[in-house]
mmCIF file of all heavy atoms in Angstrom:
data_model
loop_
_atom_site.group_PDB
_atom_site.id
_atom_site.type_symbol
_atom_site.label_atom_id
_atom_site.label_comp_id
_atom_site.label_asym_id
_atom_site.label_seq_id
_atom_site.Cartn_x
_atom_site.Cartn_y
_atom_site.Cartn_z
ATOM 1 N N GLN A 10 -1.773 1.565 -22.866
ATOM 2 C CA GLN A 10 -0.481 2.202 -22.740
ATOM 3 C C GLN A 10 -0.396 3.015 -21.431
ATOM 4 O O GLN A 10 -1.414 3.578 -21.016
ATOM 5 C CB GLN A 10 -0.246 3.108 -23.947
ATOM 6 C CG GLN A 10 0.062 2.347 -25.220
ATOM 7 C CD GLN A 10 1.258 3.006 -25.943
ATOM 8 O OE1 GLN A 10 1.362 4.202 -25.997
ATOM 9 N NE2 GLN A 10 2.238 2.151 -26.283
ATOM 10 N N PHE A 11 0.817 3.088 -20.924
ATOM 11 C CA PHE A 11 1.127 3.793 -19.710
ATOM 12 C C PHE A 11 2.304 4.641 -19.866
ATOM 13 O O PHE A 11 3.283 4.244 -20.548
ATOM 14 C CB PHE A 11 1.234 2.814 -18.540
ATOM 15 C CG PHE A 11 0.027 1.970 -18.204
ATOM 16 C CD1 PHE A 11 -0.181 0.855 -18.919
ATOM 17 C CD2 PHE A 11 -0.769 2.325 -17.242
ATOM 18 C CE1 PHE A 11 -1.306 -0.005 -18.666
ATOM 19 C CE2 PHE A 11 -1.904 1.546 -16.904
ATOM 20 C CZ PHE A 11 -2.200 0.376 -17.627
ATOM 21 N N ALA A 14 5.056 8.342 -14.475
ATOM 22 C CA ALA A 14 4.477 9.436 -13.633
ATOM 23 C C ALA A 14 5.250 9.715 -12.439
ATOM 24 O O ALA A 14 5.438 10.905 -12.005
ATOM 25 C CB ALA A 14 3.037 9.088 -13.315
ATOM 26 N N TRP A 29 11.572 6.719 8.027
ATOM 27 C CA TRP A 29 12.100 7.675 9.099
ATOM 28 C C TRP A 29 11.095 8.006 10.102
ATOM 29 O O TRP A 29 11.347 7.921 11.331
ATOM 30 C CB TRP A 29 12.641 8.927 8.339
ATOM 31 C CG TRP A 29 13.351 9.878 9.288
ATOM 32 C CD1 TRP A 29 14.630 9.867 9.631
ATOM 33 C CD2 TRP A 29 12.682 10.954 9.917
ATOM 34 N NE1 TRP A 29 14.928 10.872 10.456
ATOM 35 C CE2 TRP A 29 13.717 11.555 10.680
ATOM 36 C CE3 TRP A 29 11.448 11.486 9.995
ATOM 37 C CZ2 TRP A 29 13.505 12.686 11.462
ATOM 38 C CZ3 TRP A 29 11.259 12.588 10.872
ATOM 39 C CH2 TRP A 29 12.179 13.201 11.549
ATOM 40 N N LYS A 58 13.571 -2.686 4.881
ATOM 41 C CA LYS A 58 15.051 -2.577 4.856
ATOM 42 C C LYS A 58 15.538 -1.390 5.539
ATOM 43 O O LYS A 58 16.651 -1.267 6.042
ATOM 44 C CB LYS A 58 15.593 -2.586 3.407
ATOM 45 C CG LYS A 58 15.580 -3.931 2.761
ATOM 46 C CD LYS A 58 16.122 -3.849 1.355
ATOM 47 C CE LYS A 58 15.064 -4.160 0.340
ATOM 48 N NZ LYS A 58 15.379 -3.905 -1.073
ATOM 49 N N LEU A 86 -8.519 -13.250 0.510
ATOM 50 C CA LEU A 86 -7.912 -14.467 -0.080
ATOM 51 C C LEU A 86 -6.976 -15.282 0.862
ATOM 52 O O LEU A 86 -6.887 -16.432 0.828
ATOM 53 C CB LEU A 86 -7.245 -14.154 -1.412
ATOM 54 C CG LEU A 86 -8.099 -13.327 -2.404
ATOM 55 C CD1 LEU A 86 -7.363 -12.690 -3.513
ATOM 56 C CD2 LEU A 86 -9.263 -14.206 -2.914
ATOM 57 N N ASN A 94 -3.453 -9.493 19.660
ATOM 58 C CA ASN A 94 -3.885 -8.956 20.908
ATOM 59 C C ASN A 94 -2.781 -8.175 21.675
ATOM 60 O O ASN A 94 -1.676 -8.629 21.939
ATOM 61 C CB ASN A 94 -4.208 -10.176 21.813
ATOM 62 C CG ASN A 94 -5.013 -9.800 23.036
ATOM 63 O OD1 ASN A 94 -4.675 -8.787 23.734
ATOM 64 N ND2 ASN A 94 -6.080 -10.531 23.335
ATOM 65 N N SER A 97 1.042 -3.375 18.701
ATOM 66 C CA SER A 97 0.945 -2.289 17.774
ATOM 67 C C SER A 97 1.049 -2.756 16.368
ATOM 68 O O SER A 97 2.082 -3.447 15.940
ATOM 69 C CB SER A 97 2.099 -1.293 18.039
ATOM 70 O OG SER A 97 1.941 -0.623 19.284
ATOM 71 N N THR A 107 -10.418 4.328 -2.855
ATOM 72 C CA THR A 107 -11.575 4.657 -2.062
ATOM 73 C C THR A 107 -11.447 4.555 -0.518
ATOM 74 O O THR A 107 -12.101 5.173 0.243
ATOM 75 C CB THR A 107 -12.819 3.793 -2.474
ATOM 76 O OG1 THR A 107 -12.470 2.417 -2.161
ATOM 77 C CG2 THR A 107 -13.094 3.949 -3.931
ATOM 78 N N VAL A 126 -3.620 0.598 15.982
ATOM 79 C CA VAL A 126 -3.442 0.273 14.569
ATOM 80 C C VAL A 126 -3.146 1.565 13.863
ATOM 81 O O VAL A 126 -3.786 2.608 14.004
ATOM 82 C CB VAL A 126 -4.859 -0.229 14.044
ATOM 83 C CG1 VAL A 126 -4.655 -0.627 12.503
ATOM 84 C CG2 VAL A 126 -5.275 -1.468 14.745
ATOM 85 N N LEU A 131 1.965 3.962 0.502
ATOM 86 C CA LEU A 131 2.900 4.672 -0.320
ATOM 87 C C LEU A 131 2.140 5.743 -1.256
ATOM 88 O O LEU A 131 2.664 6.904 -1.250
ATOM 89 C CB LEU A 131 3.529 3.707 -1.338
ATOM 90 C CG LEU A 131 4.519 4.341 -2.327
ATOM 91 C CD1 LEU A 131 5.617 4.987 -1.624
ATOM 92 C CD2 LEU A 131 5.032 3.320 -3.364
ATOM 93 N N ARG A 168 3.594 -5.282 -12.277
ATOM 94 C CA ARG A 168 4.084 -5.222 -10.822
ATOM 95 C C ARG A 168 5.530 -5.113 -10.692
ATOM 96 O O ARG A 168 6.057 -4.569 -9.755
ATOM 97 C CB ARG A 168 3.683 -6.530 -10.138
ATOM 98 C CG ARG A 168 2.133 -6.686 -10.018
ATOM 99 C CD ARG A 168 1.836 -7.811 -8.981
ATOM 100 N NE ARG A 168 0.446 -8.352 -9.007
ATOM 101 C CZ ARG A 168 -0.524 -7.735 -8.421
ATOM 102 N NH1 ARG A 168 -0.398 -6.622 -7.809
ATOM 103 N NH2 ARG A 168 -1.744 -8.204 -8.526
#
Side-chain angles (χ1 to χ4, degrees):
Q10 283 231 312
F11 296 82
W29 185 85
K58 284 180 245 174
L86 306 169
N94 191 316
S97 291
T107 60
V126 181
L131 178 63
R168 295 193 195 276

